[in-house]
Amino acid sequence: MPLTSKSLPEYWDTYKPHSGDGMPPAPVVDSFEWTQYPGHGPGADFLGRPRTALELGSAEGREAVWLARTGVEVTALDLSPAQTARARLWWEGTPGLSFVNAEACEYLADTSTTYDAVYSRWGAVWFTDPERLVPLIGRRLNPGGVLALSQAEPIEGFYGPQAMYGNGLSGRRLPVLRWSYSPEMWRDLLKRSGLTEIEASVLPAPEPENVGTLMVRAKAPAKPAVPRRRR
Ligand SMILES: C[S@@+](CC[C@H](N)C(=O)[O-])C[C@H]1O[C@@H](n2cnc3c(N)ncnc32)[C@H](O)[C@@H]1O
């Protein structure tokens, strides 16, 4: 079976499921969290001060909602039809917020829209080959625009695509991939993609023996290089 994202909406449709009948109430959105530990690490200021932003892998839409409430025009994109439909029902009518149901690489390759910030909070960047995704993001950033992402810290020495069975070990085969790289590898990849002001590090957990958070940020060059005139 080819390892493409086409098989994955069914996996992500059940992310953060709810029990019982009907639609659960919308989650409370009172902060922008990058890490798995509420109140730990930076907030939305990690993105700078964008006017427009694209979230890749927004699921419930919490961070997108928080950002839109601060006046940013946010596009919240997710591969999963169920996640997108649920987020739309919850957050319909939030000024400046729109939802797109699409695969990140396909959307970025097709759209002509550019953004001041593109971000992924444990989202599409973790579950897509960054060698393919990051150059596509770079092309859709405005000059000086920010790419920011967070995900679990890598396990030392185990880098590259990490595969698991999405339906468990006795279910129908559904390979799900996550890409895990060290901060040094991220710095190299971002540099090769033409991004600047690169920062990549592991933010330790509040209890230092617990799993930390990989935090990455880089910018598109402030101005496209002006070609020199020939004499
Ligand atoms: C682990 S969840 C994180 C969701 C949310 N950002 C959060 O922090 O709760 C990953 C999300 O990324 C989405 N996703 C994974 N791969 C994607 C892709 N290639 N394009 C768009 N969305 C993707 C999934 O559908 C899922 O909703």
Side-chain angles (χ1 to χ4, degrees), residues 12 15-16 55 57 59 77-79 102-104 121-122 124 127-128:
W12 290 114
Y15 174 68
K16 294 203 176 166
E55 177 164 1
L77 174 146
D78 202 286
L79 174 72
E103 196 282 319
R121 184 218 180 260
W122 302 65
F127 298 94
T128 310

Side-chain angles (χ1 to χ4, degrees), residues 31-55:
S31 61
F32 186 116
E33 304 283 347
W34 289 100
T35 81
Q36 62 274 53
Y37 307 105
H40 182 60
D45 51 321
F46 194 60
L47 290 172
R49 296 174 67 88
R51 285 172 299 110
T52 57
L54 170 67
E55 177 164 1

Side-chain angles (χ1 to χ4, degrees), residues 14-155:
T14 56
Y15 174 68
K16 294 203 176 166
H18 64 273
S19 51
D21 297 331
M23 183 72 170
V28 175
V29 175
D30 53 9
S31 61
F32 186 116
E33 304 283 347
W34 289 100
T35 81
Q36 62 274 53
Y37 307 105
H40 182 60
D45 51 321
F46 194 60
L47 290 172
R49 296 174 67 88
R51 285 172 299 110
T52 57
L54 170 67
E55 177 164 1
L56 299 176
S58 49
E60 292 179 309
R62 298 164 62 107
E63 276 63 38
V65 169
W66 198 94
L67 212 53
R69 286 179 182 165
T70 67
V72 181
E73 197 181 307
V74 186
T75 303
L77 174 146
D78 202 286
L79 174 72
S80 153
Q83 297 296 336
T84 309
R86 183 165 70 167
R88 276 195 182 120
L89 278 173
W90 278 336
W91 310 116
E92 191 101 72
T94 303
L97 178 61
S98 58
F99 290 93
V100 173
N101 178 213
E103 196 282 319
C105 293
E106 288 175 7
Y107 176 83
L108 288 162
D110 281 355
T111 187
S112 56
T113 307
T114 57
Y115 300 90
D116 290 345
V118 176
Y119 68 97
S120 163
R121 184 218 180 260
W122 302 65
V125 176
W126 199 16
F127 298 94
T128 310
D129 184 351
E131 295 283 354
R132 186 165 162 239
L133 182 54
V134 169
L136 290 169
I137 295 172
R139 275 181 235 142
R140 305 269 48 98
L141 282 174
N142 290 326
V146 171
L147 161 62
L149 65 102
S150 64
Q151 57 198 46
E153 78 169 299
I155 298 175

